[in-house]
Amino acid sequence: MKTFAVSVVTPDGPVYDETGAEMVSAKATSGELGILPGHVPLVAPLTINAIRIKKENNTQILAVSGGFIEVRPEKVTILAQAAELANDINVDRAQAAKERAEQRLQKSKQEGVDFARAELALNRAVNRINIAGK
Ligand code: ATP
């Protein structure tokens, strides 16, 4: 079967870097992307969501906090500010981040609270909680 390489890279370094992928699914801002070998080249912005990488009958799931996906003939690269393998997610930390963000959103009508920023933090935390342990 034809396969391709996949890298997930953050400012802290690579989170995933392997060959032999059979499929990658990701959620772009324009909708769900299913990448199979031979997919047309593209660059697309991602939502805060899951990335699924299928390789040898096993699917690895990562939480990705936005960023971009670049599809080239032999390689898929995901560049994101933050990304974690499901097993590396600290659920307690994500739960604490979720509660902090919810409190900020409750106070959002008061001055000085950045609603959009709190909403993004909430989305990151909920995404991590959903993906942890998958
Ligand atoms: P927090 O408020 O807990 O820092 P955050 O959403 O603001 O959450 P980010 O700025 O997205 O955190 O990420 C900062 C770094 O911490 C990144 O390297 C990210 O992978 C890592 N990280 C954040 N939350 C978790 C988590 N729950 N489990 C594991 N790693 C995490």
Side-chain angles (χ1 to χ4, degrees):
M1 183 192 254
K2 276 200 82 178
T3 61
F4 51 92
V6 180
S7 286
V8 180
V9 184
T10 73
D12 299 328
V15 175
Y16 182 100
D17 193 14
E18 292 196 24
T19 56
E22 290 145 20
M23 181 173 174
V24 168
S25 55
K27 186 106 186 279
T29 54
S30 55
E32 193 73 39
L33 288 174
I35 315 290
L36 292 165
H39 194 284
V40 289
L42 68 80
V43 174
L46 294 173
T47 61
I48 296 171
N49 226 297
I51 300 286
R52 290 182 171 75
I53 304 168
K54 188 167 171 237
K55 175 178 169 174
E56 292 161 2
N57 287 326
N58 189 33
T59 301
Q60 182 80 255
I61 306 184
L62 296 94
V64 70
S65 296
F68 290 87
I69 186 167
E70 182 195 32
V71 180
R72 287 186 279 131
E74 306 294 328
K75 182 158 189 175
V76 170
T77 306
I78 290 153
L79 300 170
Q81 191 59 39
E84 304 89 35
L85 292 165
N87 285 341
D88 292 338
I89 294 172
N90 178 333
V91 179
D92 290 344
R93 177 175 169 179
Q95 193 62 43
K98 176 173 178 275
E99 283 160 23
R100 271 197 314 278
E102 283 169 344
Q103 283 163 14
R104 285 196 204 108
L105 288 171
Q106 293 243 312
K107 289 188 204 145
S108 66
K109 290 189 193 87
Q110 295 167 25
E111 237 177 288
V113 176
D114 186 337
F115 185 88
R117 188 174 161 186
E119 207 172 32
L120 286 172
L122 179 61
N123 290 347
R124 291 195 299 273
V126 169
N127 186 44
R128 286 175 176 131
I129 291 165
N130 288 340
I131 292 168
K134 272 193 183 169

